[in-house]
Amino acid sequence: MRIIGFDTATDDTVVGASVDGETVFKLVIPPGPEGRPVHSESLLEAVTGAAEAAGGWARIDRIAAGTGPGTFTGIRIGLATANGIALSTGIGLAGVSTLSALALPMLGPGHATLALLDARRGEVFAALYGPAGESLREPFVCGPEDLASHIGEFGPELLAGGPGAVRFSEDLDRAGVSIADPEADVHHLSAGSICELGATADPESLSNPLEPTYLRVPDAQLWLERHGRKAGP
Amino acid sequence: MPSLAIETSCDDTCAAVLEGPVILSNVISSQAVHGKYGGVVPEVASRHHLELTGPVIRVALEQAEVEVGDLDSIAVTAGPGLIGALLIGLSTAKAMAAPRHLPLIPTDHLQGHVAANFLEPDPIEPPFVCLIASGGHTLLAGVREYGGFEILGETLDDAAGEAVDKAARMLGLGYPGGPALEKLAADGDPGTFDFPIAMSRDPGLVFSFSGLKTALVYRCRDLGEGAIEEHRADLAAGFQAAVVEQLVSKLRRALDRDAWPAVALGGGVAANGPLRRAVADLCEERDIALKLVPTELCTDNAAMIGSAARYTPALAYPEYLAFDAFATGGGR
Ligand SMILES: [Zn+2]
């Protein structure tokens, strides 16, 4: 299977391609000056390179796109790009959870894996996976101090990783959660993981348009729910 | 060969298929969801655009009986507008164009409102002056060529439609407020309350609507709850008359300055009946032509973007792969 995978839910633009399980293209484009992500400018160029590396658009079997959670605009640039390619070429789409792709290289026997992304506002996006990647806790958002209550029963046999684990390592220490080696690659999302999960996605579930995972409602909706209609700004 | 156009700059998700100046399909999905917020919420708009853009494009192609493989180019609004909303249309358009090596035509939204007048049936040709008034923009465009325009004057603060929406909200009407305010105003006496015609002594062609909004706040405060209820229609009529008068007086001044042979209207506010009548009277008085496009081409739509794209330089593949949207300024 020839598959292109990408994710723009984090500040990086992550793009890869694989042919029958072998990586033929991988590229991570970090944010530009002042930390501004460059998803809009860089994604399609990288995806085009990935398509060429995998034998050209006509031979691509599937597009795997990260559905978040992460930055709202980033997620949408990725999914709109995937939708556009599918509309134009008819290539099937597989949505891949950004957290499950992050967890993939950390999975292993004897422990559960806690994938953590920095959700800004002092919070984390988190999800918990069993040894074979089975979901133990669906993606959620919470303050780092509340993580312990979400992962309670798994605490001792838990390995945490991802940019959110690095950022909130002290909170995790306090909760007794082990963190993957800070120097290890596993803290960064890899295109290979997106491709691998996309390749194993059930063909029945290939869909267009893809569903984003926001985990947070828009601020305006929160305001409305708290203050009611008349009190808006 | 047919071309596809996509527009997602504000709260309408739009796609159209054109064959030259002929509209084969023009699909507009308005996001009613913003009503409960009393205005467009950018994050809410972006979420809906992501859901709707694909389906709206599919319907536009189906209605036009055109396959993706038949298209010769893809046009898309690149700005100005809400950046997160623009990025949905632009990302989709780029990703549709690239695998087929189609040219991409990044188009200016305001040029789109001007170019709505070039569509069949009954297209007009430059020169003409175009009054564009909506919730996002208020300006007088001097159009001397198909591919561009000169801003003769624009608003210093709120857009006309934005002021109308806020007034409608103060009077307890829903969003969008334009049609509701117009309906209410029809039963009111515009002479009951005095509203300032902003910038009337300013010799230029700039607009301002924030003072008008403040005036309504004061009128309401002076009246008190009960009396507001009694005078809602009069307040609506007075407010609307002041908006129309400001728009028309600046248009009149533009016509005084230059011998424009024709006038055109664009933007959601251009669907307002009293404005259309006042502009029609002005054109009759000056004996110049008036071009009124149908309402669905006045409000945001993708057919106008496809029309503007005919006079906008196309970017060949792969030049546009790194092309980004712009929230303000840019294109021209
Ligand atoms: Zn507009």
Side-chain angles (χ1 to χ4, degrees):
Chain A
M1 179 183 293
R2 294 169 188 265
I3 182 160
I4 296 174
F6 53 84
D7 183 285
T8 47
T10 72
D11 287 348
D12 292 335
T13 304
V14 179
V15 180
S18 70
V19 176
D20 300 330
E22 200 174 313
T23 300
V24 295
F25 183 94
K26 61 176 182 178
L27 186 61
V28 175
I29 304 163
E34 295 163 32
R36 196 184 72 86
V38 292
H39 303 135
S40 173
E41 303 95 305
S42 64
L43 177 61
L44 191 60
E45 198 152 27
V47 166
T48 301
E52 277 163 22
W57 283 111
R59 301 178 71 187
I60 305 297
D61 300 298
R62 190 175 290 182
I63 305 286
T67 54
T71 67
F72 297 161
T73 298
I75 293 170
R76 284 191 288 262
I77 290 171
L79 297 192
T81 298
N83 289 339
I85 294 169
L87 271 168
S88 184
T89 61
I91 297 172
L93 300 180
V96 173
S97 161
T98 303
L99 285 167
S100 63
L102 191 60
L104 190 66
M106 292 183 283
L107 301 177
H111 71 268
T113 297
L114 178 67
L116 294 168
L117 287 165
D118 182 355
R120 306 222 171 95
R121 305 183 179 187
E123 293 186 315
V124 288
F125 292 127
L128 193 58
Y129 301 91
E134 69 276 21
S135 174
L136 300 178
R137 283 274 186 283
E138 291 293 318
F140 58 93
V141 60
C142 73
E145 67 283 2
D146 296 329
L147 268 176
S149 67
H150 284 272
I151 55 172
E153 56 189 295
F154 303 99
E157 295 91 27
L158 207 58
L159 181 65
V166 177
R167 164 91 203 271
F168 295 107
S169 58
E170 285 177 17
D171 298 86
L172 292 165
D173 277 345
R174 229 171 289 135
V177 175
S178 324
I179 305 173
D181 177 0
E183 301 298 313
D185 269 354
V186 295
H187 294 293
H188 299 283
L189 182 64
S190 93
S193 299
I194 300 276
C195 289
E196 192 175 331
L197 290 175
T200 53
D202 176 5
E204 293 281 304
S205 70
L206 299 187
S207 66
N208 175 28
L210 293 171
E211 282 280 319
T213 305
Y214 293 119
L215 297 185
R216 281 178 178 145
V217 300
D219 290 345
Q221 188 179 326
L222 275 184
W223 175 272
L224 198 67
E225 283 161 7
R226 283 189 197 139
H227 302 275
R229 175 174 178 158
K230 296 260 153 140
Chain B
M1 276 169 86
S3 59
L4 173 70
I6 301 168
E7 147 68 39
T8 61
S9 68
C10 192
D11 62 338
D12 296 313
T13 314
C14 316
V17 179
L18 269 68
E19 179 86 63
V22 177
I23 301 170
L24 301 184
S25 66
N26 187 25
V27 180
I28 301 165
S29 177
S30 296
Q31 301 176 6
V33 58
H34 300 280
K36 64 181 174 186
Y37 299 107
V40 177
V41 180
E43 174 61 21
V44 174
S46 297
R47 290 187 182 198
H48 281 84
H49 282 309
L50 181 65
E51 275 175 38
L52 294 168
T53 302
V56 163
I57 291 170
R58 267 182 230 279
V59 173
L61 290 169
E62 269 169 35
Q63 286 185 0
E65 295 179 26
V66 163
E67 307 271 338
V68 178
D70 301 332
L71 298 172
D72 71 351
S73 64
I74 298 182
V76 63
T77 307
L82 303 170
I83 191 73
L86 288 163
L87 283 170
I88 310 296
L90 183 66
S91 301
T92 307
K94 282 164 62 179
M96 283 188 77
R100 295 183 169 273
H101 295 196
L102 290 175
L104 183 89
I105 312 177
T107 303
D108 182 278
H109 178 83
L110 296 170
Q111 183 66 39
H113 279 298
V114 168
N117 297 291
F118 304 145
L119 288 162
E120 292 283 354
D122 309 320
I124 59 170
E125 51 185 50
F128 60 92
V129 58
C130 187
L131 171 64
I132 302 171
S134 75
H137 15 263
T138 301
L139 69 149
L140 279 165
V143 185
R144 296 186 194 276
E145 52 177 342
Y146 283 97
F149 64 88
E150 177 195 352
I151 296 179
L152 305 176
E154 61 189 327
T155 183
L156 297 174
D157 39 57
D158 291 352
E162 196 179 352
V164 167
D165 284 336
K166 284 175 182 166
R169 200 160 175 227
M170 275 188 250
L171 297 173
L173 302 169
Y175 173 88
L181 190 89
E182 183 179 342
K183 200 158 166 258
L184 180 61
D187 297 327
D189 175 1
T192 308
F193 299 99
D194 207 25
F195 284 97
I197 311 296
M199 319 303 297
S200 57
R201 252 171 263 123
D202 179 276
L205 295 174
V206 295
F207 301 91
S208 169
F209 293 96
S210 65
L212 191 51
K213 183 185 68 194
T214 312
L216 180 61
V217 172
Y218 287 137
R219 297 288 173 280
C220 289
R221 201 190 55 189
D222 295 348
L223 283 169
E225 289 269 336
I228 294 179
E229 199 46 47
E230 194 182 319
H231 286 291
R232 274 170 81 232
D234 297 332
L235 288 164
F239 186 88
Q240 177 179 264
V243 170
V244 169
E245 177 53 30
Q246 185 183 161
L247 292 172
V248 173
S249 68
K250 296 295 158 152
L251 177 60
R252 182 180 293 118
R253 194 164 293 160
L255 296 175
D256 289 342
R257 284 190 179 182
D258 265 306
W260 297 98
V263 167
L265 294 182
V269 176
N272 179 273
L275 176 66
R276 285 185 169 224
R277 281 192 291 279
V279 173
D281 290 346
L282 174 62
C283 290
E284 204 184 310
E285 169 196 319
R286 301 287 171 111
D287 194 24
I288 57 178
L290 171 62
K291 165 72 175 172
L292 292 176
V293 295
T295 307
E296 70 271 18
L297 296 178
C298 261
T299 51
D300 288 351
N301 66 87
M304 71 181 198
I305 299 304
S307 180
R310 299 181 62 223
Y311 308 100
T312 303
L315 297 179
Y317 177 88
E319 283 170 39
Y320 54 81
L321 293 178
F323 190 87
D324 202 2
F326 60 91
T328 53
R332 281 185 309 278

